[in-house]
Amino acid sequence: MKLRLPFAPLVALRFLREGRMQTLLILAGTTGGVAVIVFLTQLITQLQAQIVDRVLGTQPHVVIRPLEEANRRAFDDPASTAVIEPRAQRLRSVDQWENVARLAAAMPGVTAVSPTVTGPAFAVRGQANKSVALMGIDAERYRRIVRMEEYMVAGRFAVDGTRAVIGSELAKDLGIRLEDKLRVALPNGRDELLQVGGIFDIGNKDLNRRWVFVTLPLAQSLLDLPGGVSNLDLTVADIFDAQAIAERLQGATGLTVDSWMQTNAQLLAALRNQTVSNNLIRSFVILIVALGIASVLVVSVVQKQKEIGILRAMGASRAMILQVFLIQGALVGAVGSIFGSLLAFGLLNMFSAIYRNADGSPLFAAELEPRFIVLAALVATGVGLASALIPARRAAKMDPVQAIRS
Amino acid sequence: MSDAVIELAGLTKAYNVGTPVETEVLHGIDLSLAQGEFAALIGPSGSGKSTLLNIIGLLERPTGGRLSIGGRDTAALSEAEITALRGRSIGFVFQFHHLLPAFSALENVMMPAIIARGAPDDEAEATALQLLDAVGLKAHAHKKPAELSGGQQQRVAIARALALRPRLILADEPTGNLDTHTADDIFALLREFNRQTDCACLIVTHDPRLAARCDRTVRLVDGRLAADC
Ligand SMILES: Nc1ncnc2c1ncn2[C@@H]1O[C@H](COP(=O)(O)OP(=O)(O)OP(=O)(O)O)[C@@H](O)[C@H]1O
Ligand SMILES: [Mg+2]
């Protein structure tokens, strides 16, 4: 049983094999181009995902807060001509927060809801006195907002009674070790003696210095917010859905709802700029690869003129000649993208071995998404086809005699 | 005249039409060739023999006049129909064999069938082998053209022209580059095929010896038919 290719692929393969050097050249060009595109895309996508991951590692995707005081007053009494002035900062609770939490948890895309009571306090030990943020939480629920257990350097992330969890900077500043005592004092005059049951390092000095986690009831009583919470923290399944979910929640509850995308607008803009420049680079590379394929195919068409004339003289139609060259372009593109993806994979492996984070872990993982390879193959094959079109049409248009004579 | 394979009436060909260097190469040719006829086309160099043969072989379009092949007026045919007619009904032998260097002798001979039917098949291969055998090259079937001598290349080219059993064979100085002995062999091959299949043949040659062995001699001088005997 012989494998018999139809006319166009048969001739295309022979032509490619005959023009060995040229074929190798275009293949090398396509391989390089595809490798650059795949490598860059993979690298930037991974680094961006890591940046987002790092930023979101310490903050909730969506936060629900009480309405701004001033707005509420103006709204309640439209006839009032009272001067609206910012009130002295006073903690307020999210109205009927249990209901709001239930509503949020039921919203599609929301994966976790955690109530938090937070307010300013002072951590005092001996003569030292530090300004901190008291965070009343349910440790079990909060863990699903910020993966605190991953950041613990001593003890566990658990609060109970007067047991608290503090950051490594605060511990250092006040000379506190695990199981040591720590007094917190509040502007309203209340104070409490806490016992440190865990120390975390979240990778952010400011937060390591400020956050003091206690139980929800303790924070409520210290901050004069009995039964209330100052905000609800949410985690969502797809981080880029956060804004849409925040808007939906705002519509449903009438409360202030912010997503990480609003609070990190600058980061988001930077990521977008990076994506734009990545796309720009990719477009240029695609253009250069296309020009490369096209120019080598043009040369090949000129060199093959006589053979094209002979084929035409034997009855090959213009469409058949066109096919021969289009197949050459597509083949080069397809094979080049396979080699290119392999090369990109090699490069990613090499770079991930060379460039490492401060802690020695790889800066990015050397992995290749199949989606990218398929995409690269499609793009390269398309580019091959498109860039073969011009020389192919030229070849097909020629008169047989004219072609043979040249 | 229903058995005329080709029929030319007042056929003209001019190059560079519409430019100051416009030159008419053929000035009104009237010619017909019947089925089974074996004719020689002779004439001095530059008289337009190749041009005439290319036009009859549908490799070039005439400027004026009429060209019918198998009773069909070619002026009315589309580019695609011309291509199909050329592939199916005409076998062309060039002066310089013009084989495809990337393909073996066998594949070269199969090529007209591959083109006509879209892909190689057993029948095409069997026919090609038979033809290579007839031209004495069965043993060289898998060699590339570059591995064959000039005479062998030309014999492959003849086998290729015969592959689809065309009604018309056109040969432009098929023996021009060969020694007398080889030329005689090639000529004999064409003649034999002509007898076997009753196809019409028009052969350009400078060799009066070969022309004398044809049924008929057509003489072209300065783009006009001078004598036909
Ligand atoms: N593409 C062309 N453009 C312009 N003039 C041409 C072209 N092709 C042929 N001619 C001219 O037409 C004339 C006839 O050429 P042709 O090749 O048909 O002659 P020929 O009889 O085959 O000559 P030879 O015996 O040398 O092969 C010549 O004067 C040639 O210069
Ligand atoms: Mg000539």
Side-chain angles (χ1 to χ4, degrees), chain A residues 19-27 296-297 299-300 303-304:
Chain A
R20 214 166 290 141
M21 203 54 217
Q22 282 167 19
T23 307
L24 283 180
L25 261 174
I26 334 182
L27 262 183
V296 180
L297 276 178
V299 172
S300 139
Q303 285 182 338
K304 291 273 182 295

Side-chain angles (χ1 to χ4, degrees), chain A residues 2 4-5 7 14 312, chain B residues 79 86 107 118 122 125:
Chain A
K2 263 187 243 176
R4 278 174 164 162
L5 287 173
F7 171 80
R14 284 301 167 85
R312 296 272 286 127
Chain B
E79 167 68 31
R86 176 167 66 223
E107 289 166 328
D122 290 335
E125 187 171 336

Side-chain angles (χ1 to χ4, degrees), chain A residues 401 405, chain B residues 14-16 21 23-26 43-54 60 95 172-173 204 206 220:
Chain A
V401 173
R405 250 197 220 120
Chain B
Y15 285 111
N16 307 316
V21 290
T23 39
E24 195 171 78
V25 178
L26 299 175
S45 181
S47 56
K49 304 182 297 293
S50 295
T51 306
L52 181 59
L53 211 67
N54 288 340
E60 258 180 303
Q95 178 171 1
D172 193 353
E173 300 189 51
V204 176
H206 280 291
L220 197 61

Side-chain angles (χ1 to χ4, degrees), chain A residues 2-19 304 306-318 320-321 323 396-406, chain B residues 15 50-51 54 57-61 79-80 83-84 86-88 90 92 94 96-104 107-108 110-112 114-116 118-123 125 144 160 164:
Chain A
K2 263 187 243 176
L3 177 73
R4 278 174 164 162
L5 287 173
F7 171 80
L10 176 76
V11 176
L13 275 176
R14 284 301 167 85
F15 278 5
L16 282 175
R17 208 160 64 182
E18 205 187 8
K304 291 273 182 295
K306 203 175 115 181
E307 275 134 296
I308 293 166
I310 296 168
L311 288 169
R312 296 272 286 127
M314 284 189 281
S317 65
R318 286 183 173 168
M320 287 166 103
I321 301 296
Q323 278 172 32
K397 275 229 179 78
M398 271 189 298
D399 235 5
V401 173
Q402 190 190 328
I404 291 172
R405 250 197 220 120
S406 52
Chain B
Y15 285 111
S50 295
T51 306
N54 288 340
L58 301 175
L59 298 173
E60 258 180 303
R61 292 243 185 184
E79 167 68 31
T83 303
R86 176 167 66 223
R88 297 255 157 73
I90 302 170
F92 208 102
F94 301 92
F96 304 96
H97 64 83
H98 288 329
L99 295 173
L100 297 166
F103 292 86
S104 71
E107 289 166 328
N108 265 286
M110 286 169 72
M111 195 53 80
I114 294 175
I115 290 170
D121 53 35
D122 290 335
E123 192 197 327
E125 187 171 336
K144 294 275 168 72
R160 179 179 67 184
L164 290 179

